[in-house]
Amino acid sequence: TFYDYTIVNGCGEEKHKMESMHGHSHFTFYSYDRVLSFKDGKYGFINIQEGYASIPFKYDKVEEREDGMFDVCINDAWGVLDITSGKEIVLVKYAEKIPLKYENLKVKESATDCWGVLDKIGQEYIPTIYEHLILSEEHDLIFFGYGGCKTVDENFFSGDISQATWGCLNS
C-alpha cells in the first residue's frame, strides 16, 4: 500500500520536498518541525521543514515521556531519545524502560543480562559488565559480584545469591 501526502505549513504553503512519502501509514506531530511516522514496520521522525527522515526508521516502539524525551525500543532493548538533537540520550540497550531520573540508576543490559549504573546525563559510569550489583543507600559504595548460586539464606552482599565473588567500588 502506498500513501501520498501533501504537507503544508501553517500558512497553507505546500512543502514540495515531501511530495510523496511512500509506505508511511500515519503522522503524529510532536514539535513544530518533527513528526513521528511509521514505515516498513519501524518508527522514525521526519523533519517537516526540510522534508527528510531526521531520525531513522529503526524503532519498534516510541513512547512520549513526561520530560519531553521519548522511550524507544529496538527488539527488547530500551533507551531514551531526544528528538530535538536526534540523539539517543540513553543508548538503546537496556532490559527495561529508563525512569525519568537516571542519576545513580542501576540498569541491566538486555543482550548480556549484566548490570551497570548510569550518571545524571544517562551515560554509564559503571559499565554493564557485572553479574550482580548492589548500590549502598548513600550511593557512595557499589558492590559487584560474579558467579554464585541462588539460595534461601540471605546476607548483606548477595541477598539470595551465595558463594559469589564480590568486590567494591566507590563512586
Side-chain angles (χ1 to χ4, degrees):
T1 303
F2 291 101
Y3 301 92
D4 289 329
Y5 294 94
T6 301
I7 305 297
V8 295
N9 64 17
C11 299
E13 299 166 329
E14 189 173 321
K15 291 293 187 184
H16 296 285
K17 290 184 179 183
M18 292 185 67
E19 294 165 353
S20 179
M21 297 298 292
H22 296 291
H24 293 264
S25 63
H26 69 279
F27 292 120
T28 304
F29 289 81
Y30 280 103
S31 70
Y32 74 95
D33 68 343
R34 298 281 192 279
V35 176
L36 173 66
S37 189
F38 189 78
K39 179 180 178 182
D40 300 327
K42 301 288 183 179
Y43 289 94
F45 286 85
I46 298 168
N47 181 311
I48 293 176
Q49 304 299 320
E50 304 296 326
Y52 63 90
S54 62
I55 297 171
F57 290 87
K58 66 180 187 177
Y59 300 105
D60 297 320
K61 297 176 188 171
V62 175
E63 300 173 4
E64 190 171 15
R65 296 164 51 100
E66 290 178 23
D67 60 2
M69 305 289 179
F70 289 80
D71 288 317
V72 289
C73 181
I74 300 173
N75 298 322
D76 292 326
W78 288 92
V80 178
L81 175 70
D82 175 6
I83 65 168
T84 304
S85 68
K87 295 184 185 206
E88 292 173 1
I89 301 302
V90 177
L91 295 178
V92 178
K93 66 184 261 184
Y94 301 106
E96 296 180 6
K97 286 183 191 178
I98 305 298
L100 291 177
K101 295 184 184 205
Y102 21 84
E103 183 172 12
N104 293 317
L105 177 67
K106 183 174 131 177
V107 290
K108 185 177 190 179
E109 187 173 330
S110 176
T112 64
D113 283 339
C114 289
W115 295 93
V117 181
L118 299 182
D119 65 14
K120 65 182 176 182
I121 62 170
Q123 305 295 310
E124 287 181 11
Y125 78 90
I126 302 296
T128 51
I129 60 173
Y130 299 106
E131 190 174 345
H132 313 294
L133 197 70
I134 299 172
L135 280 70
S136 68
E137 287 185 28
E138 297 81 22
H139 296 245
D140 57 343
L141 295 175
I142 300 167
F143 301 97
F144 60 90
Y146 298 99
C149 57
K150 293 274 185 187
T151 182
V152 293
D153 297 329
E154 291 192 20
N155 62 58
F156 172 77
F157 288 110
S158 60
D160 61 353
I161 304 293
S162 69
Q163 299 177 5
T165 302
W166 289 95
C168 183
L169 301 167
N170 61 359
S171 59

